[in-house]
Every structure is written in C-alpha cells, then in structure tokens.
C-alpha cells in the first residue's frame, strides 16, 4: 500500500508527530491551558483554509465521486462557522472569551505556512495531490480521536471536549476517502508521480509538526516583534490575570528538548504550572497596520 510506504519513508517525522510533546503533555495532564489555548486560537485560519481546500477538491473531482460526497458531508456537518463556534465554546471554558480568527493574517508563522501549503495544493494540484496533502491533518482521527477514545483526559474538561471532535464518523469517512483516492492514483502512476505524492505528504507532516511546536513553545512572533493573534490573547490574559503569568513565563523559559520536523533538537516548554480555569476576559486584538 502506498500510504504504508509513505509512513515507512517518513517514520521519524511520523513518530515525532504522533508523540509530539504537546500531545504527550495533554495525555499526561501537564499541558497548560495557555499551550492548549494557543493551538485553538491559532487554528482558526486552518479550519477555514482546510475547508477551502476541500471545496477546491470537490470542484476537481468527477461528478458523484465518493471523495466529493465525503467532503461535502464534512462541509455540511462541520462548516467553518460551526467548527469555529465549537472552538469559541472550548476556549470560553478556559476563560478566553474570544473567538478563533478565520483569517490568515491572525496566524503564527508556522500556521500561515501550513495553510498556504494546503491552499496552494488546492489550486494547483490534482485530486490525489489534494487528498494526500490533507491526509496528515485528517489523521487526527487516529492521533487524537482513537488514542483518547473513551478516556477522560486529565486537566480541564475542554481538553476532552476538543479530543471528542475527532471521533466523529464524518471525519473518519473523510480520512478513508483521502486514502482511497491516493491508493487508486498511486497504483496508476509512474515513479515520478508517486514521488510527487510523497513530497506533498512529507511537507504536510513537516507543517503539522511546526504548528504543534508553535503551540507548545507559545511561539507566535513575527519579525520586528509583531505577535500573532494567539500570542496577543494569551499575553493579554497573563497581564490582566497574574495567576496565569507564571504558567506563561514557564512555557517561554522552562525548556526541554524535543524533535522538530527536520530531525534536529529544539527547545520546548515543560509547562506544568498554571493549570485550571480563570475568570473570562474579553480581548480586542490590536489592528493590523
């Protein structure tokens, strides 16, 4: 099977994805609310652009194709608006009375790179190329949904609520349809075509790791000191609720080593302090210049 070959070739990257410190910390009960909230706040544009890429794939799929039907079901069952509303409610449980922003200008550098990759493949690629580029993200049904099925995660209830989103049948069907399209296409491709699919799969894995890195490290900085939306919200809350500042500072300064997408070691937070919810605060982000 071609996807098994892809996983074997990228085994170190795949392992780094499935055992990323952000995920392991959530499993162990040591993920801070700030690290979790960073991922959710920074994910807004990904929700919008992932769905945009699905829509582009529908336009390129043969009429009545099972992949297109599954994608249409995802867009109907989990529209951008409804998924962002789910995220808003999850964030509110942690005291963040703010939405996840759906525009790419709100992103961390890591997140914008990922969404740009997906949308470019959506516009330029074939249906199999779109399917394989989306596949690593669709594997949240395994990496998150299956791993934490029937498990009440330690820590805030918001963690379990979020993990439960990846147990839905619509997501599993979409993952399976991505796989079916890729396997069918790979059987009919020459080595150059297969290499192209492998490159897209690998690059999506790289980007998936980077967005987890950004959330774990709470690294939302752009050049010249500009901060992404998630970083602004978290820093604002830390400034207005001093009880959360210790957790934020520990995340920024208490570093362990973990594997990055290129196999090199990079610093990451151990972040065990500051757990639990705090009073909600409403934040109006700074306008873009």
């Amino acid at each position: 099977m071609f996807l098994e070959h892809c996983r074997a070739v990228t085994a170190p990257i795949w392992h780094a994805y499935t055992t990323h410190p952000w995920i392991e910390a959530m499993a162990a009960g040591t993920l801070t609310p700030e690290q979790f909230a960073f991922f959710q706040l920074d994910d807004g544009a990904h929700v919008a652009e992932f769905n945009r890429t699905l829509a582009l794939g529908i336009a390129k799929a043969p009429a009545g194709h099972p992949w297109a039907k599954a994608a249409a079901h995802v867009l109907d069952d989990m529209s951008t608006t409804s998924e962002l509303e789910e995220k808003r409610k999850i964030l509110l449980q942690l005291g963040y009375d703010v939405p996840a922003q759906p525009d790419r200008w709100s992103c961390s550098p890591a997140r914008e790179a990922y969404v740009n990759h997906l949308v470019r493949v959506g516009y330029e690629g074939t249906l199999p190329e779109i399917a394989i580029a989306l596949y690593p993200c669709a594997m949240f049904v395994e990496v998150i949904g299956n791993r934490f099925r029937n498990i009440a995660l330690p820590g805030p209830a918001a963690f379990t609520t979020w993990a439960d989103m990846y147990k839905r049948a619509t997501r599993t069907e979409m993952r399976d349809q991505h796989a079916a399209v890729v396997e069918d296409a790979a059987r009919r491709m020459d080595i150059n075509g297969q290499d192209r699919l492998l490159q897209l799969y690998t690059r999506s894995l790289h980007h998936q790791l980077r967005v987890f890195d950004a959330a774990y490290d709470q690294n939302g900085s752009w050049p010249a000191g500009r901060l992404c939306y998630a970083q602004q919200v978290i820093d604002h809350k830390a400034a207005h609720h001093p009880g959360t500042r210790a957790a934020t500072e520990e995340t920024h300064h208490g570093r362990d080593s973990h594997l990055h997408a290129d196999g090199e070691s990079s610093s990451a937070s151990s972040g065990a302090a500051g757990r639990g919810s705090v009073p909600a605060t409403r934040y109006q982000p700074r306008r873009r210049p």
Side-chain angles (χ1 to χ4, degrees), residues 202-287:
T202 304
R203 186 50 51 86
S204 289
L205 278 178
H206 287 155
H207 285 304
Q208 190 68 64
L209 275 176
R210 291 302 189 210
V211 298
F212 274 126
D213 286 345
Y216 193 73
D217 296 339
Q218 291 181 52
N219 179 9
S221 298
W222 287 90
R226 183 155 187 84
L227 301 179
C228 74
Y229 173 69
Q231 193 69 66
Q232 290 182 44
V233 170
I234 289 168
D235 287 356
H236 177 271
K237 184 171 183 178
H240 286 75
H241 298 280
T244 67
R245 182 176 293 278
T248 302
E249 290 177 350
E250 180 174 343
T251 298
H252 288 316
H253 301 298
R255 307 287 182 171
D256 293 325
S257 175
H258 70 277
L259 184 65
H260 270 229
D262 56 7
E264 295 180 355
S265 179
S266 173
S267 63
S269 160
S270 58
R275 297 181 55 73
S277 61
V278 297
T281 180
R282 180 171 291 280
Y283 171 62
Q284 298 298 327
R286 297 192 292 273
R287 290 186 178 182

Coordinates of all heavy atoms in Angstrom, one line a residue, residues 202-287:
T202 N 5.0 14.4 2.9 CA 6.0 14.8 3.8 C 6.0 16.2 4.2 O 6.1 16.6 5.4 CB 7.4 14.5 3.2 OG1 7.5 13.1 2.7 CG2 8.6 14.8 4.1
R203 N 5.7 17.1 3.3 CA 5.7 18.5 3.6 C 4.5 18.8 4.5 O 4.6 19.7 5.4 CB 5.6 19.4 2.3 CG 5.7 20.9 2.6 CD 6.8 21.3 3.5 NE 8.1 20.8 3.0 CZ 8.9 21.3 2.1 NH1 8.6 22.4 1.5 NH2 10.1 20.8 1.8
S204 N 3.4 18.2 4.3 CA 2.2 18.4 5.3 C 2.6 17.9 6.7 O 2.2 18.5 7.7 CB 1.0 17.6 4.8 OG 0.5 18.3 3.6
L205 N 3.3 16.8 6.8 CA 3.8 16.3 8.1 C 4.7 17.4 8.7 O 4.6 17.6 9.9 CB 4.5 15.0 8.0 CG 3.7 13.7 7.9 CD1 4.6 12.5 7.7 CD2 2.8 13.5 9.1
H206 N 5.6 17.9 7.9 CA 6.5 19.0 8.4 C 5.7 20.1 9.0 O 6.0 20.6 10.2 CB 7.4 19.5 7.3 CG 8.5 18.6 6.9 ND1 9.0 18.6 5.6 CD2 9.1 17.6 7.5 CE1 10.0 17.7 5.5 NE2 10.1 17.1 6.7
H207 N 4.7 20.6 8.3 CA 3.9 21.7 8.7 C 3.1 21.3 10.0 O 2.9 22.2 10.9 CB 3.0 22.2 7.6 CG 3.7 22.9 6.5 ND1 4.4 24.1 6.8 CD2 3.7 22.7 5.2 CE1 4.9 24.6 5.6 NE2 4.5 23.8 4.7
Q208 N 2.6 20.1 10.0 CA 1.8 19.7 11.2 C 2.7 19.7 12.4 O 2.2 20.2 13.5 CB 1.3 18.3 11.0 CG 0.3 17.8 12.0 CD -1.0 18.6 11.9 OE1 -1.7 18.5 10.9 NE2 -1.3 19.4 12.9
L209 N 3.9 19.3 12.3 CA 4.9 19.4 13.5 C 5.1 20.8 13.9 O 5.1 21.1 15.1 CB 6.2 18.7 13.1 CG 6.3 17.2 13.3 CD1 7.6 16.7 12.8 CD2 6.1 16.8 14.7
R210 N 5.3 21.7 12.9 CA 5.6 23.1 13.2 C 4.5 23.8 14.0 O 4.8 24.6 14.9 CB 5.9 23.8 11.9 CG 7.2 23.4 11.2 CD 8.4 23.6 12.1 NE 9.7 23.4 11.4 CZ 10.8 22.9 11.9 NH1 10.8 22.6 13.2 NH2 11.9 22.8 11.2
V211 N 3.2 23.5 13.6 CA 2.2 24.1 14.4 C 2.1 23.6 15.8 O 1.7 24.4 16.7 CB 0.8 24.0 13.6 CG1 0.9 24.7 12.3 CG2 0.3 22.6 13.4
F212 N 2.4 22.3 16.0 CA 2.4 21.8 17.4 C 3.6 22.4 18.1 O 3.5 22.8 19.3 CB 2.5 20.3 17.4 CG 1.2 19.6 17.3 CD1 0.9 18.6 16.4 CD2 0.2 19.9 18.2 CE1 -0.3 18.0 16.3 CE2 -1.0 19.2 18.2 CZ -1.3 18.3 17.2
D213 N 4.7 22.6 17.4 CA 5.9 23.3 18.1 C 5.5 24.7 18.5 O 5.8 25.1 19.6 CB 7.1 23.4 17.1 CG 7.8 22.1 16.8 OD1 7.6 21.1 17.6 OD2 8.5 22.0 15.8
A214 N 4.8 25.4 17.6 CA 4.5 26.8 17.9 C 3.6 26.8 19.2 O 3.7 27.7 20.0 CB 3.8 27.4 16.7
A215 N 2.6 25.9 19.3 CA 1.7 25.9 20.4 C 2.4 25.5 21.7 O 2.2 26.1 22.7 CB 0.5 25.0 20.1
Y216 N 3.3 24.5 21.6 CA 4.0 24.0 22.8 C 4.9 25.1 23.3 O 5.0 25.3 24.5 CB 4.7 22.7 22.4 CG 5.2 22.0 23.6 CD1 4.3 21.3 24.4 CD2 6.6 22.0 23.9 CE1 4.8 20.6 25.6 CE2 7.0 21.3 25.1 CZ 6.1 20.6 25.9 OH 6.6 19.9 27.0
D217 N 5.6 25.7 22.4 CA 6.6 26.8 22.8 C 5.9 28.1 23.0 O 6.6 29.1 23.5 CB 7.7 26.9 21.7 CG 8.5 25.7 21.5 OD1 8.6 24.9 22.4 OD2 9.1 25.6 20.4
Q218 N 4.6 28.2 22.6 CA 3.9 29.5 22.5 C 4.8 30.5 21.8 O 5.1 31.6 22.2 CB 3.6 30.0 23.9 CG 2.5 29.1 24.6 CD 2.2 29.6 26.0 OE1 1.8 30.8 26.2 NE2 2.2 28.7 27.0
N219 N 5.1 30.1 20.6 CA 6.0 31.0 19.7 C 5.1 31.5 18.6 O 4.9 30.9 17.5 CB 7.1 30.1 19.2 CG 8.0 30.9 18.2 OD1 7.9 32.1 18.1 ND2 9.0 30.2 17.6
G220 N 4.7 32.7 18.8 CA 3.8 33.4 17.7 C 4.4 34.7 17.2 O 3.7 35.6 16.8
S221 N 5.8 34.8 17.3 CA 6.4 36.0 16.9 C 6.7 36.1 15.4 O 7.2 35.2 14.8 CB 7.8 36.1 17.7 OG 7.5 36.2 19.1
W222 N 6.5 37.3 14.9 CA 6.9 37.6 13.5 C 8.0 38.6 13.6 O 8.3 39.1 14.7 CB 5.7 38.3 12.8 CG 4.6 37.4 12.4 CD1 3.5 37.0 13.1 CD2 4.5 36.6 11.2 NE1 2.7 36.1 12.4 CE2 3.3 35.9 11.2 CE3 5.3 36.6 10.0 CZ2 2.9 35.1 10.2 CZ3 4.9 35.7 9.0 CH2 3.8 35.0 9.0
P223 N 8.7 38.9 12.5 CA 9.8 39.8 12.6 C 9.4 41.2 13.1 O 8.2 41.6 13.0 CB 10.3 39.9 11.1 CG 9.9 38.6 10.5 CD 8.6 38.2 11.2
A224 N 10.3 41.9 13.7 CA 10.1 43.3 14.2 C 9.2 43.2 15.4 O 8.6 44.3 15.8 CB 9.6 44.2 13.1
G225 N 9.1 42.1 16.1 CA 8.4 42.0 17.3 C 6.9 41.8 17.2 O 6.2 41.9 18.3
R226 N 6.3 41.7 16.0 CA 4.9 41.6 15.9 C 4.5 40.2 16.4 O 5.1 39.2 16.0 CB 4.4 41.8 14.5 CG 2.9 41.7 14.3 CD 2.4 42.5 13.2 NE 0.9 42.6 13.1 CZ 0.2 43.4 13.8 NH1 0.8 44.3 14.6 NH2 -1.1 43.4 13.8
L227 N 3.3 40.1 17.1 CA 2.9 38.8 17.6 C 1.6 38.4 16.9 O 0.8 39.2 16.5 CB 2.6 39.0 19.1 CG 3.7 39.4 20.0 CD1 3.2 39.5 21.5 CD2 4.9 38.4 19.9
C228 N 1.5 37.1 16.7 CA 0.2 36.5 16.2 C -0.9 36.7 17.2 O -0.7 37.0 18.3 CB 0.4 35.1 15.8 SG 0.4 33.9 17.2
Y229 N -2.1 36.5 16.7 CA -3.3 36.7 17.5 C -3.3 35.9 18.7 O -3.6 36.4 19.8 CB -4.5 36.4 16.6 CG -5.9 36.4 17.3 CD1 -6.4 37.5 17.8 CD2 -6.6 35.2 17.4 CE1 -7.7 37.5 18.4 CE2 -7.8 35.2 18.1 CZ -8.4 36.3 18.5 OH -9.6 36.3 19.1
A230 N -3.0 34.6 18.6 CA -3.0 33.7 19.8 C -2.0 34.2 20.8 O -2.4 34.2 22.0 CB -2.6 32.3 19.3
Q231 N -0.8 34.6 20.4 CA 0.1 35.2 21.4 C -0.4 36.4 22.1 O -0.2 36.6 23.3 CB 1.5 35.4 20.7 CG 2.6 35.7 21.7 CD 3.0 34.4 22.4 OE1 3.4 33.4 21.8 NE2 2.7 34.4 23.7
Q232 N -1.0 37.3 21.3 CA -1.5 38.5 21.8 C -2.6 38.2 22.9 O -2.6 38.8 24.0 CB -2.1 39.4 20.7 CG -1.1 40.0 19.8 CD -1.8 40.9 18.7 OE1 -2.7 41.7 19.1 NE2 -1.4 40.8 17.5
V233 N -3.5 37.3 22.6 CA -4.6 37.0 23.5 C -4.0 36.4 24.8 O -4.4 36.8 25.9 CB -5.6 36.0 22.9 CG1 -6.5 35.5 23.9 CG2 -6.3 36.7 21.7
I234 N -3.1 35.5 24.7 CA -2.5 34.8 25.9 C -1.7 35.8 26.7 O -1.8 35.8 27.9 CB -1.7 33.6 25.5 CG1 -2.6 32.5 24.9 CG2 -0.8 33.1 26.6 CD1 -1.9 31.4 24.2
D235 N -0.9 36.6 26.1 CA -0.2 37.6 26.8 C -1.1 38.7 27.5 O -0.8 39.1 28.6 CB 0.8 38.4 25.9 CG 2.0 37.5 25.5 OD1 2.1 36.3 26.0 OD2 2.8 37.9 24.6
H236 N -2.1 39.0 26.8 CA -3.1 40.0 27.4 C -3.7 39.4 28.6 O -3.9 40.0 29.7 CB -4.2 40.3 26.3 CG -5.3 41.2 26.9 ND1 -6.4 40.7 27.5 CD2 -5.4 42.6 26.9 CE1 -7.2 41.7 27.8 NE2 -6.6 42.9 27.5
K237 N -4.1 38.1 28.6 CA -4.7 37.5 29.7 C -3.8 37.4 30.9 O -4.1 37.6 32.0 CB -5.3 36.1 29.4 CG -6.0 35.5 30.5 CD -6.7 34.2 30.1 CE -7.5 33.6 31.3 NZ -8.3 32.4 30.9
A238 N -2.5 37.0 30.6 CA -1.5 36.9 31.6 C -1.3 38.2 32.3 O -1.1 38.3 33.5 CB -0.2 36.4 31.0
A239 N -1.3 39.3 31.5 CA -1.1 40.7 32.1 C -2.3 41.1 33.0 O -2.1 41.8 34.0 CB -1.0 41.7 31.0
H240 N -3.5 40.6 32.7 CA -4.7 41.0 33.4 C -5.1 40.0 34.5 O -5.9 40.3 35.4 CB -5.9 41.2 32.5 CG -5.8 42.5 31.7 ND1 -4.9 42.6 30.6 CD2 -6.4 43.7 31.8 CE1 -5.0 43.8 30.1 NE2 -5.9 44.5 30.8
H241 N -4.5 38.8 34.5 CA -4.8 37.8 35.5 C -3.4 37.3 35.9 O -2.9 36.3 35.3 CB -5.7 36.7 35.0 CG -7.0 37.2 34.6 ND1 -8.1 37.4 35.5 CD2 -7.6 37.5 33.4 CE1 -9.1 37.9 34.8 NE2 -8.9 37.9 33.6
P242 N -2.8 37.9 36.9 CA -1.4 37.5 37.2 C -1.2 36.0 37.5 O -0.1 35.5 37.4 CB -1.1 38.4 38.5 CG -2.0 39.5 38.3 CD -3.3 39.0 37.6
G243 N -2.3 35.3 37.9 CA -2.2 33.9 38.2 C -1.8 33.1 37.0 O -1.2 32.0 37.2
T244 N -2.0 33.6 35.9 CA -1.7 32.8 34.7 C -0.3 33.2 34.1 O 0.3 32.5 33.3 CB -2.7 33.1 33.5 OG1 -2.6 34.5 33.1 CG2 -4.1 32.8 33.9
R245 N 0.3 34.3 34.6 CA 1.6 34.7 34.1 C 2.7 33.7 34.4 O 3.6 33.5 33.5 CB 2.0 36.1 34.7 CG 3.3 36.6 34.2 CD 3.6 38.0 34.7 NE 2.6 39.0 34.2 CZ 2.7 39.6 33.0 NH1 3.6 39.2 32.2 NH2 1.8 40.5 32.7
A246 N 2.7 33.1 35.6 CA 3.7 32.1 35.9 C 3.7 31.0 34.9 O 4.8 30.5 34.5 CB 3.5 31.6 37.3
A247 N 2.5 30.5 34.5 CA 2.4 29.4 33.5 C 3.0 29.9 32.2 O 3.7 29.2 31.5 CB 1.0 29.0 33.4
T248 N 2.6 31.1 31.8 CA 3.1 31.6 30.5 C 4.6 31.8 30.5 O 5.3 31.4 29.6 CB 2.4 33.0 30.2 OG1 1.0 32.8 30.2 CG2 2.9 33.5 28.9
E249 N 5.2 32.3 31.6 CA 6.6 32.5 31.7 C 7.3 31.2 31.7 O 8.4 31.0 31.1 CB 7.0 33.4 32.9 CG 6.5 34.8 32.7 CD 6.8 35.7 33.9 OE1 7.2 35.1 35.0 OE2 6.7 36.9 33.9
E250 N 6.7 30.2 32.4 CA 7.4 28.9 32.5 C 7.4 28.3 31.1 O 8.4 27.6 30.7 CB 6.7 28.0 33.4 CG 7.3 26.6 33.5 CD 6.7 25.7 34.6 OE1 6.0 26.2 35.4 OE2 6.9 24.5 34.5
T251 N 6.3 28.5 30.3 CA 6.3 27.9 29.0 C 7.3 28.6 28.1 O 8.0 27.9 27.3 CB 4.9 28.2 28.3 OG1 3.9 27.5 29.1 CG2 4.8 27.7 26.9
H252 N 7.6 29.9 28.3 CA 8.6 30.6 27.5 C 10.0 30.2 27.9 O 10.9 30.2 27.0 CB 8.4 32.1 27.6 CG 7.1 32.6 26.8 ND1 6.8 32.1 25.6 CD2 6.2 33.5 27.2 CE1 5.7 32.7 25.2 NE2 5.3 33.5 26.2
H253 N 10.2 30.0 29.2 CA 11.6 29.9 29.7 C 12.0 28.5 30.2 O 13.2 28.2 30.2 CB 11.8 30.9 30.8 CG 11.5 32.3 30.4 ND1 12.3 32.9 29.4 CD2 10.6 33.2 30.8 CE1 11.8 34.2 29.2 NE2 10.8 34.3 30.1
G254 N 11.0 27.7 30.6 CA 11.4 26.3 31.0 C 11.4 25.4 29.9 O 10.4 24.9 29.5
R255 N 12.5 25.1 29.3 CA 12.6 24.4 28.0 C 13.2 23.0 28.2 O 14.2 22.8 28.9 CB 13.5 25.2 27.0 CG 13.0 26.6 26.9 CD 11.8 26.7 26.1 NE 11.4 28.1 25.9 CZ 10.4 28.5 25.1 NH1 9.8 27.6 24.4 NH2 10.2 29.8 25.0
D256 N 12.6 22.0 27.5 CA 13.2 20.7 27.3 C 13.6 20.5 25.8 O 13.3 21.4 25.0 CB 12.2 19.6 27.7 CG 11.9 19.6 29.2 OD1 12.8 19.9 29.9 OD2 10.7 19.4 29.5
S257 N 14.1 19.4 25.5 CA 14.5 19.2 24.1 C 13.5 18.2 23.4 O 13.1 17.3 24.0 CB 15.9 18.5 24.0 OG 16.2 18.2 22.7
H258 N 13.0 18.6 22.2 CA 12.1 17.7 21.5 C 12.4 17.7 20.0 O 13.1 18.6 19.5 CB 10.7 18.0 21.8 CG 10.2 19.2 21.2 ND1 10.3 20.4 21.8 CD2 9.5 19.5 20.1 CE1 9.8 21.4 21.1 NE2 9.2 20.8 20.0
L259 N 12.0 16.7 19.3 CA 12.3 16.6 17.9 C 11.5 17.5 17.0 O 10.3 17.5 17.1 CB 12.1 15.1 17.5 CG 12.5 14.8 16.0 CD1 14.0 14.9 15.9 CD2 12.1 13.3 15.7
H260 N 12.2 18.2 16.1 CA 11.5 19.0 15.1 C 11.3 18.2 13.9 O 11.8 17.1 13.7 CB 12.3 20.3 14.9 CG 11.8 21.4 15.9 ND1 11.5 22.7 15.4 CD2 11.6 21.4 17.2 CE1 11.2 23.4 16.5 NE2 11.3 22.7 17.5
A261 N 10.6 18.8 12.9 CA 10.3 18.2 11.7 C 11.5 17.7 10.9 O 11.5 16.8 10.1 CB 9.4 19.0 10.8
D262 N 12.6 18.5 11.0 CA 13.8 18.1 10.3 C 14.7 17.2 11.0 O 15.8 16.9 10.6 CB 14.6 19.4 9.9 CG 15.0 20.2 11.1 OD1 14.7 19.8 12.2 OD2 15.5 21.3 10.9
G263 N 14.3 16.7 12.2 CA 15.0 15.7 13.0 C 16.0 16.3 13.9 O 16.7 15.6 14.6
E264 N 16.1 17.7 13.9 CA 17.0 18.4 14.8 C 16.3 18.6 16.2 O 15.1 18.7 16.3 CB 17.5 19.7 14.2 CG 18.3 19.5 12.9 CD 18.8 20.8 12.4 OE1 18.4 21.8 12.9 OE2 19.5 20.7 11.4
S265 N 17.1 18.9 17.2 CA 16.6 19.1 18.5 C 16.3 20.6 18.7 O 17.1 21.4 18.2 CB 17.6 18.7 19.6 OG 17.1 19.0 20.9
S266 N 15.2 20.9 19.3 CA 14.8 22.3 19.6 C 14.2 22.4 20.9 O 13.7 21.5 21.5 CB 13.8 22.8 18.5 OG 13.3 24.0 18.8
S267 N 14.3 23.6 21.5 CA 13.7 23.8 22.8 C 12.2 23.8 22.8 O 11.6 24.2 21.9 CB 14.2 25.1 23.4 OG 13.7 26.2 22.7
A268 N 11.6 23.2 23.9 CA 10.2 23.2 24.1 C 9.9 23.3 25.6 O 10.6 22.9 26.4 CB 9.6 22.0 23.5
S269 N 8.7 23.8 25.9 CA 8.3 24.0 27.3 C 8.0 22.7 27.9 O 7.4 21.9 27.4 CB 7.2 25.0 27.3 OG 6.5 24.9 28.5
S270 N 8.3 22.7 29.2 CA 7.8 21.6 30.1 C 6.4 22.0 30.6 O 5.6 21.1 30.9 CB 8.7 21.3 31.2 OG 8.9 22.5 32.0
G271 N 6.2 23.3 30.8 CA 4.9 23.8 31.1 C 3.9 23.0 32.0 O 2.9 22.6 31.5
A272 N 4.2 22.9 33.3 CA 3.3 22.1 34.1 C 2.5 23.0 35.1 O 1.6 22.5 35.8 CB 4.0 21.1 34.9
A273 N 2.8 24.3 35.1 CA 2.2 25.1 36.1 C 1.0 25.9 35.5 O 0.7 25.9 34.3 CB 3.2 26.2 36.6
G274 N 0.2 26.5 36.4 CA -0.8 27.4 36.0 C -2.1 26.7 35.5 O -2.8 27.2 34.7
R275 N -2.3 25.4 35.9 CA -3.5 24.7 35.3 C -4.8 25.2 36.0 O -4.8 25.8 37.0 CB -3.3 23.2 35.6 CG -2.1 22.6 34.9 CD -2.0 21.1 35.2 NE -3.2 20.5 34.8 CZ -3.6 20.3 33.6 NH1 -2.8 20.6 32.6 NH2 -4.7 19.7 33.3
G276 N -5.9 24.9 35.3 CA -7.2 25.2 35.8 C -7.7 26.5 35.1 O -7.0 27.2 34.5
S277 N -9.0 26.8 35.3 CA -9.6 27.9 34.6 C -9.5 29.1 35.4 O -9.3 29.1 36.7 CB -11.1 27.6 34.3 OG -11.8 27.4 35.5
V278 N -9.6 30.3 34.8 CA -9.6 31.6 35.5 C -10.7 32.4 34.9 O -11.3 32.0 33.8 CB -8.2 32.3 35.3 CG1 -7.1 31.5 35.9 CG2 -7.9 32.5 33.8
P279 N -11.1 33.5 35.5 CA -12.2 34.3 35.0 C -12.0 34.7 33.6 O -10.9 35.0 33.2 CB -12.2 35.5 36.0 CG -11.6 35.0 37.3 CD -10.5 34.0 36.8
A280 N -13.1 34.7 32.9 CA -13.0 35.1 31.5 C -12.6 36.6 31.3 O -13.0 37.4 32.1 CB -14.3 34.8 30.8
T281 N -11.9 36.9 30.3 CA -11.6 38.3 29.9 C -11.8 38.5 28.5 O -11.4 37.6 27.7 CB -10.2 38.6 30.3 OG1 -9.9 40.0 30.0 CG2 -9.1 37.7 29.7
R282 N -12.5 39.5 28.1 CA -12.7 39.8 26.7 C -11.5 40.7 26.2 O -11.1 41.6 26.8 CB -14.0 40.5 26.5 CG -14.3 40.8 25.0 CD -15.7 41.3 24.8 NE -16.7 40.3 25.0 CZ -17.0 39.4 24.1 NH1 -16.4 39.3 23.0 NH2 -17.9 38.5 24.4
Y283 N -11.0 40.3 25.0 CA -9.9 40.9 24.4 C -10.1 41.4 23.0 O -10.7 40.7 22.2 CB -8.7 40.0 24.4 CG -7.5 40.5 23.7 CD1 -6.9 41.7 24.1 CD2 -7.0 39.9 22.5 CE1 -5.8 42.2 23.4 CE2 -5.9 40.4 21.8 CZ -5.3 41.5 22.3 OH -4.3 42.0 21.5
Q284 N -9.8 42.6 22.7 CA -9.9 43.2 21.4 C -8.5 43.3 20.8 O -7.7 44.1 21.3 CB -10.6 44.5 21.4 CG -12.0 44.5 21.9 CD -12.9 43.7 21.0 OE1 -12.7 43.6 19.8 NE2 -13.9 43.0 21.6
P285 N -8.1 42.4 19.9 CA -6.7 42.4 19.4 C -6.4 43.7 18.7 O -7.2 44.4 18.2 CB -6.7 41.2 18.4 CG -8.1 41.1 17.9 CD -9.0 41.5 19.1
R286 N -5.1 44.0 18.7 CA -4.6 45.2 18.0 C -4.8 45.1 16.5 O -4.7 44.0 15.9 CB -3.1 45.3 18.3 CG -2.7 45.6 19.8 CD -1.3 46.0 19.9 NE -0.4 45.0 19.6 CZ 0.1 44.0 20.4 NH1 -0.4 44.0 21.7 NH2 0.9 43.1 20.1
R287 N -5.2 46.2 15.9 CA -5.4 46.2 14.5 C -4.1 46.0 13.7 O -3.0 46.5 14.2 CB -6.0 47.5 14.0 CG -7.5 47.7 14.5 CD -8.1 48.9 13.9 NE -9.5 49.1 14.3 CZ -10.2 50.1 13.9 NH1 -9.7 51.0 13.1 NH2 -11.5 50.1 14.3

